[in-house]
Amino acid sequence: VLASLVASLPGDASASKPDSAVDLVALYKRIYKSFIEHIDGMDNGIEARDGKKNYEVPTTLSSRISALNPRWNEPGDSAEINRRFVAAMSLVGEELSEAVDFAVNSWWPARSLVAAAMDGASDVHPSRQILILSRACPWQSHLF
């Protein structure tokens, strides 16, 4: 499924897209951590933090989906519930498409810039603890 989503995304024709099994696993892990995991946790009642809850997150994908349910004092016949379910699926589909698009067309291309900086780190300093990126990019999540 992920491979077909990646292939269908618009993007720079000269940029490579992840297509090998290893690439798709890395991309899947990124999308799971940045998009799916918190929805899954919230849906299953798992708190994001242990201990005292310091603040409320007023809007999340889960809360927007929940808001599509009929209120306790609204009619909730099968047709209306189905209509709202379709709206919820559409909302999640758009959010997922945007998350995959970002991962493929922004996060993934940054990976090669970070790898190149890591490869050249010994030229910058013998400790290899200083990286110089060829341009600004989302680098933090690529250091592991």
Side-chain angles (χ1 to χ4, degrees):
V1 173
L2 183 57
S4 63
L5 271 172
V6 168
S8 71
L9 287 172
D12 182 356
S14 65
S16 67
K17 290 186 179 179
D19 59 0
S20 73
V22 171
D23 293 351
L24 291 172
V25 166
L27 190 61
Y28 170 81
K29 287 179 180 179
R30 168 64 182 185
I31 292 166
Y32 185 84
K33 290 298 275 180
S34 67
F35 182 77
I36 296 169
E37 185 175 52
H38 85 278
I39 297 169
D40 196 25
M42 291 178 81
D43 191 43
N44 289 299
I46 300 168
E47 289 291 334
R49 299 167 299 283
D50 290 332
K52 181 182 172 197
K53 194 172 192 179
N54 296 318
Y55 60 89
E56 293 290 325
V57 178
T59 182
T60 63
L61 180 57
S62 294
S63 68
R64 292 193 309 276
I65 291 167
S66 181
L68 292 171
N69 287 319
R71 295 183 181 119
W72 69 272
N73 57 354
E74 291 180 323
D77 62 16
S78 293
E80 180 62 14
I81 290 172
N82 286 338
R83 185 189 69 74
R84 289 172 183 241
F85 183 76
V86 169
M89 288 190 331
S90 177
L91 176 64
V92 171
E94 288 174 27
E95 292 265 345
L96 177 59
S97 292
E98 288 173 16
V100 171
D101 181 66
F102 175 82
V104 169
N105 292 312
S106 179
W107 179 81
W108 185 260
R111 190 177 179 92
S112 63
L113 297 178
V114 174
M118 291 175 76
D119 288 344
S122 61
D123 296 337
V124 176
H125 191 272
S127 69
R128 297 194 49 154
Q129 294 183 0
I130 300 171
L131 300 179
I132 297 179
L133 296 166
S134 62
R135 61 183 291 188
C137 68
W139 57 271
Q140 295 91 334
S141 64
H142 295 291
L143 296 179
F144 42 85

